[in-house]
Amino acid sequence: MANDVTGIILAGGRNSRFGGIVKANIVVEGEKIISRIIKELRKHCSGIIVATNYPEEFSDLVNVRMVQDIIPGAGPLGGIHAAIKSSESEIVFVIAGDMPFPDGTLIGEQISTFTTSGHDILTAKIGDRIETLHSVFSSRIIDDLGRYLSEEGRRSVRDFLEESDTAYFEIPDTSGNRRIFTNINFPDDAGKIIN
């Protein structure tokens, strides 16, 4: 499995709500969020790509490739597009760079389910919540994604998923599973997690 999958971490945002602090570099339980994610991805992925427009922020990472947006201003989809273009794998697993509690077992189950699903995209869903940035993609979506992003105003990950051959990886709605999908949107979120 690992030989066929590239892990993609989306860490390219402006972080305007954090005063420019890079969320992926926030330390949680003694370790940077991005390092925690990489450790879990390495269990199932042969390579790791960090999609970021600020590669200098991650100069300490080892055996990780950096890619920058090809289509500027396209948000998370721009990072996904650039990373898939640069990956040699037929399957990529995409995760947001601000999720402090990634779970390698769950990631492995999602990848395994994708390989037998026959769909182009498999997105996590917990209860009624669709977790768009915890998804497995086939590289064959790259042309459709490029066309989507070429249209003015087309930047929504959710809309792209709805227009694509997407299936959902249903996850039981438990407190433990909800913790896996915790993400940091505001400085207060970081304070609650760290303390």
Side-chain angles (χ1 to χ4, degrees):
M1 176 71 67
N3 292 330
D4 303 319
V5 183
T6 294
I8 294 173
I9 303 170
L10 301 177
R14 294 191 187 100
N15 300 309
S16 55
R17 290 177 287 200
F18 271 74
I21 296 170
V22 176
K23 293 189 287 182
N25 281 335
I26 292 172
V27 175
V28 174
E29 297 176 356
E31 191 173 17
K32 289 181 181 180
I33 292 173
I34 195 161
S35 298
R36 296 165 69 89
I37 295 171
I38 288 169
K39 184 166 58 179
E40 297 304 304
L41 288 179
R42 286 208 195 280
K43 296 174 182 178
H44 304 284
C45 301
S46 57
I48 308 288
I49 294 174
V50 176
T52 178
N53 292 313
Y54 308 98
E56 66 279 2
E57 296 288 350
F58 304 106
S59 58
D60 59 325
L61 297 179
V62 178
N63 295 325
V64 170
R65 220 157 15 112
M66 306 283 168
V67 298
Q68 293 181 257
D69 290 354
I70 298 166
I71 302 171
L77 274 182
I80 293 169
H81 174 263
I84 292 176
K85 283 281 257 192
S86 114
S87 170
E88 295 177 2
S89 300
E90 293 182 8
I91 298 171
V92 300
F93 179 85
V94 173
I95 188 169
D98 63 351
M99 297 174 71
F101 308 113
D103 184 271
T105 300
L106 185 70
I107 290 168
E109 289 172 0
Q110 190 171 347
I111 292 169
S112 180
T113 301
F114 173 81
T115 61
T116 59
S117 74
H119 293 280
D120 288 342
I121 304 169
L122 184 68
T123 296
K125 184 178 182 185
I126 178 165
D128 294 330
R129 282 179 46 190
I130 296 170
E131 298 289 346
T132 58
L133 300 184
H134 197 285
S135 295
V136 191
F137 290 81
S138 166
S139 62
R140 63 180 171 260
I141 61 98
I142 193 62
D143 291 338
D144 289 340
L145 180 53
R147 280 190 291 272
Y148 178 89
L149 290 173
S150 71
E151 299 175 22
E152 189 173 347
R154 304 276 272 165
R155 299 293 181 258
S156 166
V157 178
R158 187 176 295 261
D159 287 352
F160 179 72
L161 295 180
E162 287 177 358
E163 294 177 24
S164 301
D165 177 25
T166 302
Y168 294 95
F169 181 62
E170 304 273 355
I171 299 162
D173 190 359
T174 65
S175 58
N177 285 339
R178 283 196 298 274
R179 184 175 190 265
I180 293 168
F181 293 97
T182 300
N183 68 331
I184 297 176
N185 289 314
F186 299 95
D188 280 355
D189 297 336
K192 289 172 194 166
I193 290 167
I194 293 167
N195 294 326

